[in-house]
Structures are given as structure tokens and as C-alpha cells.
Amino acid sequence: MTFRARHLLGIEHLAPEEIRTVLDLSEKYVALNQRTEKHSDALKGLTQINMFFENSTRTQASFELAGKRLGADVMNMSVALSSVKKGETLIDTALTLNAMHPDLLVVRHPASGAVDLLAQKVNCAVLNAGDGRHEHPTQALLDALTIRRAKGRIQRLTVAICGDIAHSRVARSNLILLGKMENRVRLIGPPTLMPAGIGEFGCEVYEDMKAGLEGADVVMMLRLQKERMDGGFIPSEREYYHRYGLDAEKLALAKEDAIVMHPGPMNRGVEIDGELADDINRSVIQDQVEMGVAVRMACMDLLARNLRAERGAKAVGVMV
Ligand code: NCD
């Protein structure tokens, strides 16, 4: 097993063998989660604090469940009620929490780079649960696990990522991961929703959805992130659905056995047809949620091993 990281801040920092280690360990946790007794003691004695400065359903719930199933003491810090609302800076909040000796800090923040900054100020393992439009590493890892289970591999696949790429940390982390694992990535969306300089990432960019979907093994849809838009990025939702909404007709252009993914939350009838999203023969959206818990268990387990090893080494140093 190879996993050297001290924090999980982004896919950017992971080597392909570290990604494989996370996925392999996640498989064990998928099996554990399917049992009636779901407990392990990988995080026994450790304290996990979840700090979500942005709304979340799936990610926060799955990090909480993951920590509890591994035996950690888990605290959800409610940012709405905290001193952040009184003007305390992110760093002050982090230092305050750090003084309570957490071992794992799970952070979601609306500003890109905020989680990296925080990781420099605390002496525990930090997991990025999404920072602005930068990265969302556990999402890309759970997507990779879902793909690997459905397709039997996570190499040499054609993956189409469609929709609001510009505002999406999910797209960015997936793009990096899929590239590292030697897949072909196509980005599909209107030019207004395509980030500048995207060509550098070695992917193909399509404005025409039908052309982009042709021959794809995986179709990953993204939510229109209206909260990050400050103007008219699309003419209307109706027009957007017509051109970029995934329905059975457009999906027919992808490979016959192509799978449909969405990180959630979904806007049914905006980026995806509701019936297609619920079609268990094509859609793996519920599998993504299931994989999310297992992947977060694996990530926290691996980081805790490194943390224990590091602290153990220091303790020995003191004794000598
Ligand atoms: C995503 C996020 O928050 O970045 N959701 C998630 O984590 N499941 C995508 C989104 O909000 O559209």
C-alpha cells in the first residue's frame, strides 16, 4: 500500500499508486458497509471535526457516517451558529479548533485555496471537502471507484464531463484524476461555462453535446451552479436543457453500455431528465452515494495511519 500524503487537499498532489491504494482500501469498506454490523476501530480514540462553511447534504453526511463507522469521536461544527458569523476569520476559527486537539479536520469552504491555507496552520490531518471551484478530491475518488466497479477498470476509458465546467470543483478534480489514470476526457458545455485555459489539461473540448457524447463510456453530468454565477451564463433553463440536458435520445449517441453519473444535488429537467437519472440500467447515481461513504472511510483511515506513524516517530524522538 502506498499513501504518503499528510493531508488530502487535492487530487493534484496524489500519485497514481496512491489513488489505487485509496480505491483498493475503499473496496473493503464497501463490503463492511453492506454488513449489518458496520464497525471498525481504525479511527478509535481519534477526534474528527467537520467544518462546513457551505451547504452540503451528501458530503457532510457521508463524512460523519464514515468517521462514526470507524470509531472516531465526530463533531459537526455548525458554522451558522459559530463565531464565524460574528466576523472571526477562518484562521482564528481553525486555531481555536486546533487547540482542542482534533486529529482529522474535514473542511468545505466557498473560497478556492482556503483549505490549503488552513492546513498550514493546524497540526492534524486536513481533508478538503470542496473549496470554491478548486478541488473536491473525495468526490473524484468516489467517482473513480464507481467507474472502476461498473467498467472493470479506470484506464483507457472515454469520459464525457458535461455542463457547468467553469464553476465546478468536481469537474476539476475528476479531470486531474482521470488524466493521471490515462483516460480520455472530453469536456462538453457552452463556451460561457468553459474555464479559460482549459486546453492545458490535455482534454478535448466540445460545444456540441451530440458530437462530444459519441462513443463515450461514461457520461458525467454537472449541476448548473447558479450560486457561483453573477450574470447571464445561459439564455434560459429551457434552452439549456434542449442543448445540454441529458435525455435518452442524446445518451443513445454514447456507447451502448455507457453509464450516467451526477455528483448531486441534481436539477431534474435542467441538466438531466428525471427518468433517466432514476433508470437503474444506466444511472449509477445512487452507487456514487454509496461509494462516497466507503471512499471517505478509506481516506481517513490512510491519513490516520500516517498521522499515528508521524506522532509515534516524534514520541520516540523525545524519549531518546
Ligand atoms: C458537488 C459540490 O458541492 O461541489 N456536490 C457534492 O459534493 N456532492 C457538486 C454540486 O454542488 O453541484
Side-chain angles (χ1 to χ4, degrees), residues 54 58-59 108 136 139 169-170 223 225 227 263-265:
E54 236 185 36
R58 273 151 284 265
T59 308
R108 170 171 284 192
H136 192 351
Q139 179 70 43
R169 53 197 174 207
V170 175
R223 183 174 66 91
Q225 307 211 1
E227 74 278 17

Side-chain angles (χ1 to χ4, degrees), residues 12-83:
E12 206 181 338
H13 311 292
L14 295 181
E17 67 265 26
E18 292 179 295
I19 295 171
R20 243 171 263 122
T21 296
V22 174
L23 301 187
D24 292 346
L25 182 60
S26 300
E27 286 289 357
K28 300 203 174 113
Y29 285 124
V30 174
L32 179 72
N33 289 338
Q34 286 171 353
R35 295 196 337 220
T36 310
E37 296 290 329
K38 301 174 184 63
H39 279 157
S40 134
D41 56 9
L43 301 183
K44 195 162 167 231
L46 302 187
T47 299
Q48 172 191 339
I49 300 184
N50 298 334
M51 280 167 93
F52 280 67
F53 295 90
E54 236 185 36
N55 290 342
S56 169
T57 314
R58 273 151 284 265
T59 308
Q60 183 165 0
S62 61
F63 264 115
E64 183 177 352
L65 262 187
K68 287 183 171 161
R69 287 188 182 162
L70 296 182
D73 293 316
V74 185
M75 186 192 106
N76 287 308
M77 207 188 78
S78 175
V79 176
L81 302 173
S82 76
S83 295

Side-chain angles (χ1 to χ4, degrees), residues 168-220:
S168 179
R169 53 197 174 207
V170 175
R172 204 165 174 282
S173 288
N174 263 296
L175 184 56
I176 300 171
L177 186 150
L178 292 165
K180 284 190 188 223
M181 306 310 274
E182 291 168 20
N183 296 282
R184 197 164 154 192
V185 181
R186 297 178 182 168
L187 301 180
I188 308 174
T192 48
L193 296 178
M194 232 11 113
I198 195 67
E200 291 163 30
F201 283 89
C203 50
E204 300 160 40
V205 178
Y206 290 84
E207 190 177 340
D208 176 0
M209 188 165 181
K210 291 185 176 163
L213 287 179
E214 216 169 311
D217 297 288
V218 176
V219 183
M220 194 181 284

Side-chain angles (χ1 to χ4, degrees), residues 82-154:
S82 76
S83 295
V84 175
K85 290 276 168 209
K86 299 180 190 163
E88 188 174 87
T89 67
L90 170 69
I91 300 304
D92 282 336
T93 308
L95 292 178
T96 303
L97 288 176
N98 194 46
M100 299 180 195
H101 296 293
D103 304 290
L104 296 152
L105 206 50
V106 179
V107 188
R108 170 171 284 192
H109 198 278
S112 305
V115 185
D116 291 45
L117 182 70
L118 195 142
Q120 293 164 25
K121 308 282 176 191
V122 296
N123 41 28
C124 61
V126 176
L127 291 101
N128 181 2
D131 64 322
R133 52 181 86 173
H134 178 224
E135 279 235 38
H136 192 351
T138 55
Q139 179 70 43
L141 290 162
L142 77 88
D143 288 339
L145 183 63
T146 308
I147 296 172
R148 197 174 76 167
R149 286 170 67 93
K151 294 280 150 206
R153 63 182 199 274
I154 185 71

